[in-house]
Amino acid sequence: MSTGKEQLDVDVEDDFVATDSDEATEAPIEVAKTNLSKRRTIDNLLEERRLQKQLADYDFDL
């Protein structure tokens, strides 16, 4: 376990890998947008189903 007083030797040039391609960074964003869109659609359908069930269970003869 580190005490915080130890000096760590880190060689930054060896650890960093640069990519010149913009396509590699675009793909995860597109997938995230698609997944978020699907999640919102599912949430909306579940909310609609819940509200329809509440409406069906509601006693209108108050």
Side-chain angles (χ1 to χ4, degrees), residues 22-38:
D22 288 336
E23 294 175 13
T25 58
E26 292 295 325
I29 295 172
E30 299 266 337
V31 171
K33 286 182 182 178
T34 303
N35 288 341
L36 183 59
S37 175
K38 288 179 182 179

Side-chain angles (χ1 to χ4, degrees), residues 26-57:
E26 292 295 325
I29 295 172
E30 299 266 337
V31 171
K33 286 182 182 178
T34 303
N35 288 341
L36 183 59
S37 175
K38 288 179 182 179
R39 182 65 206 168
R40 286 182 178 161
T41 302
I42 291 169
D43 286 344
N44 288 340
L45 290 171
L46 290 172
E47 178 71 10
E48 182 179 352
R49 185 179 297 172
R50 184 184 64 80
L51 290 173
Q52 287 177 350
K53 184 177 179 183
Q54 284 181 351
L55 187 61
D57 292 342

Side-chain angles (χ1 to χ4, degrees), residues 7-26:
Q7 180 74 21
L8 296 177
D9 294 328
V10 178
D11 191 9
V12 177
E13 291 88 7
D14 291 341
D15 293 340
F16 182 72
V17 177
T19 58
D20 294 332
S21 175
D22 288 336
E23 294 175 13
T25 58
E26 292 295 325

